[in-house]
Amino acid sequence: MATYNKRGYKGKNVEESQQLQNENSTTAEVFSSLDEGASKTEAWVAANQTYILGVIGAVALAVLGYLGYVQFVQKPQEATAANELFYPQQYFDQAINATQAKDSLFQLALDGAEGKYGLLDITKEYAGTKAANLAHYAAGISLLNLQKYPEAIAELEQFSSDDAVLGALAQGAIGDAFMQLEQTSEALSYYQSALGHSNNEFTTPKFLHKAAVAAVALGQKEKAASYIAQIKTDFPNALEAAGADALLGLMNGDK
């Protein structure tokens, strides 16, 4: 029996052949587009090769420069700064432990002597080193003891430490300087900062007591009472605990 195609109708084989041709054409177009893109990329790379190599070279030089700086500048500078700090640190330690002539020892620590750098010199000459950071702390404490309170604050504010004790002492010392300047609100803020820095048996009861005194001076009796209560509860064996009741009595007597 004869078969025929209706007008406008293509047999299955013809249709598949046409579809295959279309797919091949599309694939060819895609590959042609990719080839053109690759050619353009290659052309751009060729045209900008000097620039690309320059960027790569600059990055490499920056990395090598940083490594060289750390190895040949920063590390030797840290060692030199630490050696320089040893001399004024001796005067500072003597001043802390002295029972007399403390002021002259603190001044020697600050200024240096016999051609050696003092603490203030080290903070400038070796800025950014660990030794300079410690010098800021020692200089601040020295100036605080010499009653140069604004200068002490300026030095101590440049000191930073994650150490539980030293970091808290620095913040508390700034509070002490503000108390001496009769800026009690600022003092209380720094005592609170010292308390927030760490919780330990050495600095915490000390600054709880100082915060309580500052709070009383500001008329913040409830806050003062909470500080005193914390001393009695958490640090019953601390020296500050012995004076806690007296401070409470003084505070209650002002009612």
Side-chain angles (χ1 to χ4, degrees), residues 124-220:
K124 297 179 179 68
E125 296 295 328
Y126 299 101
T129 63
K130 295 176 182 178
N133 187 46
L134 289 171
H136 278 301
Y137 173 79
I141 299 299
S142 298
L143 290 162
L144 181 63
N145 279 275
L146 292 171
Q147 301 179 18
K148 297 180 179 180
Y149 304 120
E151 294 91 335
I153 292 169
E155 290 297 327
L156 289 166
E157 284 184 335
Q158 295 182 71
F159 171 73
S160 63
S161 176
D162 293 329
D163 183 80
V165 173
L166 204 57
L169 286 175
Q171 294 296 301
I174 297 175
D176 290 343
F178 275 118
M179 281 294 283
Q180 294 298 325
L181 292 170
E182 298 183 355
Q183 295 178 235
T184 310
S185 180
E186 288 83 354
L188 178 57
S189 177
Y190 275 97
Y191 291 145
Q192 291 170 332
S193 179
L195 292 170
H197 184 82
S198 64
N199 185 12
N200 62 81
E201 294 185 355
F202 177 62
T203 64
T204 303
K206 179 193 298 291
F207 294 121
L208 281 171
H209 182 268
K210 291 189 176 188
V213 171
V216 169
L218 291 169
Q220 300 175 9

Side-chain angles (χ1 to χ4, degrees), residues 16-255:
E16 289 178 349
S17 176
Q18 183 63 44
Q19 183 178 356
L20 183 60
Q21 289 178 10
N22 291 338
E23 289 176 354
N24 288 338
S25 176
T26 301
T27 302
E29 289 176 2
V30 170
F31 277 108
S32 176
S33 177
L34 290 173
D35 287 340
E36 289 178 7
S39 297
K40 290 179 180 179
T41 301
E42 290 172 359
W44 185 89
V45 170
N48 295 276
Q49 188 171 11
T50 302
Y51 171 78
I52 294 170
L53 292 175
V55 170
I56 294 172
V59 172
L61 283 174
V63 172
L64 291 173
Y66 173 75
L67 294 175
Y69 172 79
V70 170
Q71 184 66 33
F72 299 110
V73 177
Q74 189 178 49
K75 286 184 178 180
Q77 189 178 43
E78 287 282 1
T80 302
N83 288 334
E84 292 287 355
L85 180 61
F86 177 76
Y87 186 82
Q89 185 71 39
Q90 288 182 308
Y91 283 122
F92 177 76
D93 292 342
Q94 290 174 30
I96 292 293
N97 297 314
T99 56
Q100 56 184 0
K102 292 173 73 76
D103 287 359
S104 61
L105 289 169
F106 278 125
Q107 198 64 56
L108 283 170
L110 287 168
D111 299 335
E114 300 177 3
K116 298 290 187 179
Y117 280 149
L119 295 169
L120 295 175
D121 296 314
I122 292 170
T123 63
K124 297 179 179 68
E125 296 295 328
Y126 299 101
T129 63
K130 295 176 182 178
N133 187 46
L134 289 171
H136 278 301
Y137 173 79
I141 299 299
S142 298
L143 290 162
L144 181 63
N145 279 275
L146 292 171
Q147 301 179 18
K148 297 180 179 180
Y149 304 120
E151 294 91 335
I153 292 169
E155 290 297 327
L156 289 166
E157 284 184 335
Q158 295 182 71
F159 171 73
S160 63
S161 176
D162 293 329
D163 183 80
V165 173
L166 204 57
L169 286 175
Q171 294 296 301
I174 297 175
D176 290 343
F178 275 118
M179 281 294 283
Q180 294 298 325
L181 292 170
E182 298 183 355
Q183 295 178 235
T184 310
S185 180
E186 288 83 354
L188 178 57
S189 177
Y190 275 97
Y191 291 145
Q192 291 170 332
S193 179
L195 292 170
H197 184 82
S198 64
N199 185 12
N200 62 81
E201 294 185 355
F202 177 62
T203 64
T204 303
K206 179 193 298 291
F207 294 121
L208 281 171
H209 182 268
K210 291 189 176 188
V213 171
V216 169
L218 291 169
Q220 300 175 9
K221 293 185 178 181
E222 289 186 4
K223 182 176 288 187
S226 70
Y227 290 138
I228 296 169
Q230 188 176 347
I231 294 173
K232 296 180 68 175
T233 302
D234 297 346
F235 306 97
N237 298 320
L239 291 174
E240 290 77 13
D245 288 332
L247 185 56
L248 268 177
L250 178 64
M251 185 176 67
N252 293 330
D254 290 338
K255 288 183 178 180

